[in-house]
Amino acid sequence: MALITAKDLSVGYGGQTVAEHLNFKVNSGDYLCIVGENGSGKSTLVKTLVKLIKPVTGEVKYGDGLMPGEIGYLPQHTVVQRDFPASVKEIVLSGCQSRMGLRPFYNSEEKKLAADNMEKMAITDLANKCYRELSGGQQQRVLLARALCATKKMLILDEPVSGLDPKVTAEMYELVAKLNKEGITIVMISHDIKSAVEYADHILHIGNTIYFGSKSEYLNSKAGKIFMMMQSKDPHAGKPLTV
Amino acid sequence: MIDTLMMYMGYPFVRYAMMVGVMIALCSSLLGVTLVLKRYSFIGDGLSHVAFGVMSVAAVLNLTNTMIIVLPGTILAAVLLLRTGQNAKIKGDAAIAMISVGALAFGYLLMNKFSTSTNLSGDVCSTLFGSMSILTLTKDEVALCAVLSAIVVIVFILFYNKIFAVTFDETFARSAGTRVNAYNLLIAVVIAVIIVLAMNLVGSLLISALVIFPALSSMRIFKTFKSVTIFSAIFSVCCAFFGIVISMLAGTPVGSTIVAADIVAFGICSLIGRFTGAR
Ligand SMILES: Nc1ncnc2c1ncn2[C@@H]1O[C@H](COP(=O)(O)OP(=O)(O)OP(=O)(O)O)[C@@H](O)[C@H]1O
Ligand SMILES: [Mg+2]
């Protein structure tokens, strides 16, 4: 059974639909990239997947022993107050909150997990630094390490590379690809279609046309072709693609 | 001076005042960090005015044990304030301001109209600015305060990690399945308890000082949640202790003196923060 199955799912806020008739599956080990124009409802969809909001109609089924609370989620915007005192270590450790249930303190296993994930994200030397004094890329890695602490199975990343420079962006993609090879299922929203087709194996396109399928099918589909063409005209979307 | 102090400490009522002052300062500083960070700094103000309003109802009804209705009333207001914060028809800060001034006006109105006391302005003044009643505490009141403070401290320690998670990033906490609403409710209830406790000490106008100053001061110097929390507890306890000592030696009002001590210490912390480059 798939980790996540969406059946005729409509998502939105307060009964108002933003994107509808979504049907897709995420299997264990997949790397799914969600693409679509601004405002097409990508963030709304993943918020529904991590149960921050309720589906308008339809349903999301979780399988293979995946609990919604065990998905590592990286929101599009994490608004942290400028003056919030929190060290990197405290933040990463807070990713273990779903594991600890009602137990009041983190155990040594969770502390080790946090340390391991900081190591993976190469932020161990920042452990005692204050979050607000880090650069955007460093902050993003801290939040990714936190998301990793929350899951053994699946990460949902909402535009993890927005605002990062090309070099750090490339590093971020490599990191995520590495995690995927280690067996973690990835669902990522991205505007960077070039990298999406480079790393992902499945694409979900939402907006005027809805498309779900494997990467190679997408590249040959109408939705894919139009979107790729639009993206390659857009100076921000990276180099034009030759497929 | 030391002799005078020693002589004072010989009296049980002075020791009681000391104990109660320190316990309240400790409790209010613990949650102060969370409240300041959640932009709820003024919930202290709002709730204390509600407590004032309820207290005047109690006074009018001639209840001797005001605690019986003041505590539940304030808790109820805290819960309501928190709910409006989420429903957002009236925004959180506006709701707090409304309830706050409303309760203040209503309370004073009641007291003015129905109070049997001969010294009305004295009564009002002491509820607003804290009274000398801290020096007339009975053993039972001290015991009640001790029990409630102990509960607050234990709850805080047990839920410390959850409180951090919910304060730092509510969205992530929710996605991780943490029951954010329940913890927000818990925070509101604990705050209400602390405020009712602190009314005696500093009065309802100055309560926010006990909540805000320790947190802001230690945020000037420290950068991790844990160190900020620990330091603000120490800060608050020290200020309360010295404030009470000074007020006894100089014969100044207890509440205002404690707040004055807080302000001075805040200044010192700001300077330290500037020199160590923590800002
Ligand atoms: N909290 C909210 N309440 C009501 N409507 C919202 C809310 N957040 C977003 N919307 C609306 O839902 C629509 C989809 O928003 P969403 O954030 O899902 O877009 P997106 O595909 O993630 O766009 P982007 O690429 O800019 O991140 C938008 O039209 C937006 O106005
Ligand atoms: Mg979005």
Side-chain angles (χ1 to χ4, degrees):
Chain A
M1 182 165 180
L3 286 178
I4 290 183
T5 313
K7 251 197 223 144
D8 200 28
L9 177 69
S10 297
V11 296
Y13 300 90
Q16 207 82 341
T17 307
V18 174
E20 49 192 355
H21 305 307
L22 304 170
N23 288 289
F24 60 91
K25 264 187 187 163
V26 185
N27 286 308
S28 185
D30 278 2
Y31 189 140
L32 171 70
C33 216
I34 303 177
V35 296
E37 300 86 35
N38 289 126
S40 54
K42 304 182 295 295
S43 299
T44 312
L45 170 63
V46 297
K47 280 186 215 163
T48 312
L49 295 184
V50 296
K51 293 231 158 161
L52 287 176
I53 53 180
K54 288 200 179 77
V56 179
T57 56
E59 61 172 340
V60 184
K61 274 199 185 131
Y62 303 87
D64 265 358
L66 179 74
M67 304 286 281
E70 294 172 356
I71 298 174
Y73 174 53
L74 181 69
Q76 182 169 14
H77 306 286
T78 296
V79 200
V80 174
Q81 288 152 30
R82 203 175 50 83
D83 50 356
F84 201 110
S87 68
V88 168
K89 204 163 145 190
E90 286 175 320
I91 294 170
V92 175
L93 204 49
S94 77
C96 296
Q97 58 186 287
S98 63
R99 287 164 200 269
M100 97 178 158
L102 279 178
R103 177 160 38 86
F105 306 109
Y106 297 111
N107 62 23
S108 54
E109 197 179 313
E110 285 153 354
K111 284 181 187 148
K112 181 165 182 307
L113 182 71
D116 289 349
N117 285 330
M118 283 195 282
E119 190 71 52
K120 264 190 208 165
M121 295 294 120
I123 48 172
T124 307
D125 50 332
L126 303 175
N128 292 314
K129 280 246 172 163
C130 178
Y131 178 81
R132 66 172 191 254
E133 287 168 0
L134 302 181
S135 76
Q138 289 168 333
Q139 290 186 343
Q140 207 68 335
R141 274 185 288 167
V142 173
L143 298 183
L144 190 54
R146 176 182 68 171
L148 267 177
C149 283
T151 191
K152 294 187 185 94
K153 294 181 182 130
M154 176 182 263
L155 281 177
I156 295 190
L157 313 172
D158 194 344
E159 300 197 26
V161 297
S162 65
L164 304 185
D165 74 33
K167 182 167 166 283
V168 181
T169 300
E171 282 171 12
M172 196 76 177
Y173 279 125
E174 285 302 328
L175 261 175
V176 174
K178 195 165 144 244
L179 293 172
N180 183 236
K181 287 208 186 76
E182 286 168 13
I184 293 180
T185 309
I186 307 282
V187 174
M188 186 199 283
I189 296 181
S190 175
H191 276 293
D192 182 358
I193 187 77
K194 179 173 169 281
S195 309
V197 295
E198 185 177 338
Y199 290 101
D201 46 35
H202 286 77
I203 307 272
L204 172 65
H205 180 133
I206 59 182
N208 296 335
T209 47
I210 291 173
Y211 182 86
F212 171 69
S214 73
K215 174 172 78 182
S216 50
E217 286 163 0
Y218 177 70
L219 291 178
N220 291 321
S221 75
K222 209 168 142 222
K225 279 183 178 145
I226 295 172
F227 196 62
M228 298 284 249
M229 219 162 67
M230 267 166 31
Q231 290 280 314
S232 55
K233 278 185 203 142
D234 180 355
H236 302 296
K239 296 185 200 94
L241 250 152
T242 40
V243 189
Chain B
M1 205 169 83
I2 301 288
D3 288 343
T4 341
L5 194 62
M6 278 314 184
M7 186 197 79
Y8 275 127
M9 289 306 254
Y11 297 110
F13 68 87
V14 175
R15 287 201 302 270
Y16 288 163
M18 218 46 144
M19 276 154 55
V20 168
V22 165
M23 287 186 294
I24 290 170
L26 176 66
C27 292
S28 55
S29 68
L30 286 182
L31 278 142
V33 180
T34 310
L35 289 182
V36 167
L37 291 171
K38 274 176 154 303
R39 297 291 183 261
Y40 275 142
S41 301
F42 279 104
I43 202 172
D45 249 35
L47 288 182
S48 57
H49 295 173
V50 170
F52 168 80
V54 182
M55 219 172 238
S56 44
V57 172
V60 169
L61 295 176
N62 264 325
L63 291 179
T64 41
N65 191 350
T66 51
M67 216 47 138
I68 289 178
I69 67 166
V70 172
L71 196 55
T74 314
I75 290 178
L76 188 71
V79 173
L80 285 179
L81 274 181
L82 221 92
R83 287 186 62 101
T84 52
Q86 283 160 4
N87 274 342
K89 252 197 191 123
I90 301 174
K91 274 283 175 213
D93 57 343
I96 291 177
M98 265 172 55
I99 292 194
S100 160
V101 289
L104 201 59
F106 184 69
Y108 183 59
L109 202 73
L110 273 183
M111 280 230 191
N112 212 328
K113 212 67 207 157
F114 299 105
S115 179
T116 48
S117 160
T118 45
N119 181 13
L120 178 67
S121 57
D123 279 357
V124 172
C125 195
S126 69
T127 10
L128 287 181
F129 290 102
S131 53
M132 288 311 208
S133 72
I134 185 162
L135 294 176
T136 59
L137 291 168
T138 64
K139 211 169 183 172
D140 288 348
E141 284 169 318
V142 177
L144 177 67
C145 182
V147 171
L148 288 179
S149 308
I151 293 175
V152 168
V153 172
I154 290 170
V155 165
F156 184 82
I157 292 175
L158 285 183
F159 291 103
Y160 168 82
N161 285 311
K162 291 287 168 40
I163 290 175
F164 170 75
V166 169
T167 314
F168 179 72
D169 189 348
E170 222 179 275
T171 310
F172 181 82
R174 220 179 272 276
S175 82
T178 301
R179 302 184 53 196
V180 173
N181 291 349
Y183 288 107
N184 279 336
L185 191 69
L186 179 79
I187 292 172
V189 170
V190 171
I191 280 303
V193 171
I194 292 172
I195 279 162
V196 172
L197 280 180
M199 290 266 304
N200 276 328
L201 186 64
V202 292
S204 60
L205 278 189
L206 301 180
I207 277 177
S208 290
L210 281 190
V211 172
I212 298 170
F213 278 112
L216 285 185
S217 305
S218 61
M219 278 159 63
R220 295 270 146 158
I221 305 181
F222 293 96
K223 297 183 208 164
T224 70
F225 196 75
K226 201 178 212 166
S227 55
V228 165
T229 307
I230 293 172
F231 181 77
S232 49
I234 296 171
F235 176 100
S236 186
V237 165
C238 289
C239 285
F241 180 80
F242 287 114
I244 295 176
V245 167
I246 292 168
S247 78
M248 280 187 311
L249 293 179
T252 48
V254 183
S256 326
T257 315
I258 294 178
V259 174
D262 274 317
I263 294 172
V264 170
F266 171 73
I268 296 172
C269 288
S270 299
L271 282 181
I272 296 176
R274 183 152 302 169
F275 283 122
T276 56
R279 284 257 96 187

